[in-house]
Amino acid sequence: MNAGTLTGEVLVPFFGAMLCITPAVTRPTVPFGVRVPAEQARATVIRHERYAYSWRTAAIGVCCTVAALLLHGHGSWWLIRIILLLEVTGDFGCFWIARNKISAVKHSEDWYAGHRQIVATDTSWRTDPPRFPVRWLIPALAVIAATVIVGAVRYPDLPARLTVGLGRHQVPKSAVSVFAIVVGQLWVTVLWTGLLLIVYRSRPDIEAADPAASTRRYRRYLTAVTQAVLTLASIPGVVAVTLGGSRATNTAVEGSDWDFGLYYRDRLDPADIVALGWPGRVFAPGEWGRIVNGGAWLTVDGTKVDLIYRDLHDVEHWTAAAEAGRFEIQREVGYVAGIATYVLAGELALGRVLAGELPRPPFPPKLRETAPVAWFRLAAGALHFAEVHAGRQDRVACLANLGQAVLATAQGRLAAAGEWVLNEKRITERAGLHAVQDRLAQPEPDLSALVCDVRACLQLTDTVW
Amino acid sequence: MLLSIEPDGPVPIYQQIRDRIVEAIAGGRQPAGSGLPSTRQLAVDLGVNFHTVNKSYDQLRQEGLLRLNRKSGAVVQRDASSGPPRPDWAEDWATRLRTLLAEAAAQGMPADDIVRHCRDAVAAFAFPAPDGEPGGGRGGQP
């Protein structure tokens, strides 16, 4: 799994969809780059070509997406790039065909006969150009400055090895590796500022039919877009936002809350989340534990929204470990059988990426071998203690250990089947252990009989733990 | 100032640009001291050849309406409030006006209509108020 395959999964359908809808968002009097009179904007040839273009590009997009998905995991990363290139070239070809057909009809029917062509410009655009909203750069520059200061102050405390990039290679600590993030911030800020400056200097989009109003509109539009882009360029540290939980896996029930994973690198300031201004409770990173990290419970317009922080450093570390078949089961509230560290990889696989780039690991084959062994061992141990407690008529301890045995068995079975498990909700059913639920539904005074029946349901082959 | 030209019209483009600028000066939208875009910039914005705009600016310069400066670019040099024109220029203008009015008379336009058209055109110009203040200026003087 690397950024190359990610590119294929995300970019091929994205570009396909964007190019498919392009004609719908362009001005009706300039279909496919051909300027036509307003009364011809709904001409038969234009409608026909729009229709044909959307079908052709949709077909290309679907074919390329299918090809990219089939190639997923096989072949080299550049195969996906070639598919992307073919897709974009094909879509541009469709655009070119539509453009030529409309242009041919326009000329043969002489649509502009009896029209006067007028070119309008606003000289004040040059003599009194719209001011670039320099002040809106302040947040982005402040974030960069703050990063530099924090980096300089914390430099002595930083670990000797740092994880960089989406790949999970580590580099020794040095001024270059520590301040690489600042270079990234500077690059984004300079890139967007430069692009916006070019837009400011380029020819304004003025309609000859109503030059004064369209100039005013364009000035407002330019200011708004610039302010929005400069603000977005400043959002610190957060490199990707995913939609997780039940909403992403389509298991949402009415009233399910919205879970958003907030993947961050190096630092995430809870003050930034407080500053969003939504009511709720915001926790610091690491406050919930090593794996579950931290989060925030917010209410946005009456809807419960949970933010969950994930440190990309931890995520990458445990994802790489899971691929090698290594993992740990740690104690965590809400996880009776414990939380496996590969949950972090599972979240990547099941979450829907809303912004940014994240790897989407498949269930590692090695983990399918190593994880069930560990879970079944835990289950066997818990079952043994259930028996011990049953012998002493300790109902609470016996049932607790039975529960742990059942949940650990379910975890092991699902891992063997290559299914990600993010929490213990409904995993007993998912693992096909309905019989246990039924057995526990009946009142049972004889604890030893209960343990014996559950043991039969779990069908653990190895009793060594 | 909004500048519109007809690239396919019967009047040469350089003449159209020159005429629109003169009208803007008379209408107060481009008062004396205000700037115009550089020839290159205006040529790009209008989608015409740079030499075309150069020709318009050069004509305006010869008429004393525009000052072309390497440093400050093209600046309007005079307008309605800059005092009376040179006598020889007025004589030349009267000759051209006579030809223009003669065209209307030759086409059979009544004398009243000709005078009304003249009055309407002049009413749209920005003349300085009698007490010396610039009046009627829609563009406003800097």
Side-chain angles (χ1 to χ4, degrees), chain B residues 112-130:
Chain B
D112 286 352
D113 277 8
I114 296 176
V115 171
R116 187 169 51 79
H117 274 108
C118 290
R119 199 180 296 119
D120 288 353
V122 169
F125 298 153
F127 289 103

Side-chain angles (χ1 to χ4, degrees), chain A residues 304-459:
Chain A
K304 273 192 69 196
V305 171
D306 288 355
L307 294 183
I308 297 152
Y309 313 148
R310 290 290 177 265
D311 187 341
L312 272 171
H313 180 271
D314 289 342
V315 172
E316 284 162 354
H317 173 78
W318 287 116
T319 304
E323 256 156 65
R326 283 182 287 109
F327 72 101
E328 286 175 18
I329 300 173
Q330 299 184 354
R331 267 194 59 78
E332 186 56 63
V333 176
Y335 292 80
V336 172
I339 184 170
T341 52
Y342 61 72
V343 160
L344 295 175
E347 286 176 342
L348 285 182
L350 300 181
R352 195 186 305 163
V353 178
L354 299 178
E357 263 194 38
L358 285 175
R360 296 180 78 83
F363 200 95
K366 282 193 184 152
L367 200 59
R368 292 178 70 162
E369 292 163 24
T370 56
V373 176
W375 285 115
F376 291 150
R377 190 177 293 162
L378 177 61
L383 216 46
H384 169 81
F385 279 102
E387 247 162 14
V388 171
H389 289 298
R392 296 175 186 193
Q393 293 305 311
D394 185 344
R395 185 164 283 270
V396 170
C398 173
L399 289 177
N401 276 288
L402 264 188
Q404 193 183 32
V406 174
L407 290 167
T409 308
Q411 287 268 19
R413 286 189 176 197
L414 291 167
E419 281 188 47
W420 290 114
V421 171
L422 301 187
N423 52 48
E424 292 176 345
K425 284 176 197 157
R426 287 192 291 274
I427 61 168
T428 311
E429 280 83 1
R430 275 176 64 195
L433 292 168
H434 308 76
V436 180
Q437 296 277 36
D438 299 340
R439 184 67 186 81
L440 291 179
Q442 303 151 16
E444 176 60 75
D446 183 0
L447 285 175
S448 295
L450 183 67
V451 172
C452 197
D453 287 351
V454 171
R455 182 188 288 282
C457 291
L458 298 186
Q459 298 171 343

Side-chain angles (χ1 to χ4, degrees), chain B residues 6 10 13 22 27 34 39 45 47 60 63 67 69-71 81 84 87 96 101 103 112 122-125 134 137:
Chain B
E6 274 183 66
I13 293 172
V22 171
S34 64
T39 46
D45 286 355
L60 288 163
E63 292 168 30
R67 190 173 64 238
N69 192 315
R70 201 175 283 273
K71 228 166 141 187
S81 58
R96 282 184 285 136
L101 296 179
E103 281 173 21
D112 286 352
V122 169
F125 298 153

Side-chain angles (χ1 to χ4, degrees), chain A residues 116-127 201-204 206 208 211-212 215, chain B residues 1-9 30 35-38 41-42 44-47 74:
Chain A
R116 291 187 311 161
Q117 191 193 349
I118 292 177
V119 181
T121 183
D122 181 5
T123 60
S124 66
W125 197 269
R126 303 300 173 197
T127 54
R201 291 189 59 85
S202 57
R203 187 169 184 257
I206 294 177
T215 308
Chain B
M1 155 197 178
L2 291 164
L3 210 165
S4 303
I5 58 162
E6 274 183 66
D8 301 327
Q30 198 71 54
L36 283 168
S38 73
Q41 196 72 71
L42 190 57
V44 168
D45 286 355
L46 287 173

Side-chain angles (χ1 to χ4, degrees), chain A residues 142-230:
Chain A
V143 167
I144 295 173
T147 313
V148 171
I149 292 167
V150 170
V153 169
R154 292 200 45 202
Y155 187 82
D157 306 332
L158 289 175
R161 295 186 68 76
L162 301 169
T163 308
V164 293
L166 264 182
R168 22 194 113 78
H169 46 279
Q170 296 205 331
V171 293
K173 180 173 87 167
S174 71
V176 175
S177 61
V178 168
F179 289 101
I181 186 170
V182 178
V183 176
Q185 290 172 330
L186 270 176
W187 165 243
V188 169
T189 310
V190 169
L191 178 76
W192 283 109
T193 311
L195 286 173
L196 289 169
L197 279 171
I198 292 173
V199 174
Y200 263 78
R201 291 189 59 85
S202 57
R203 187 169 184 257
D205 187 19
I206 294 177
E207 277 178 87
D210 190 3
S214 65
T215 308
R216 271 200 308 277
R217 268 204 307 275
Y218 188 66
R219 275 186 192 251
R220 274 205 306 273
Y221 162 81
L222 201 56
T223 314
V225 166
T226 309
Q227 290 168 353
V229 169
L230 290 181

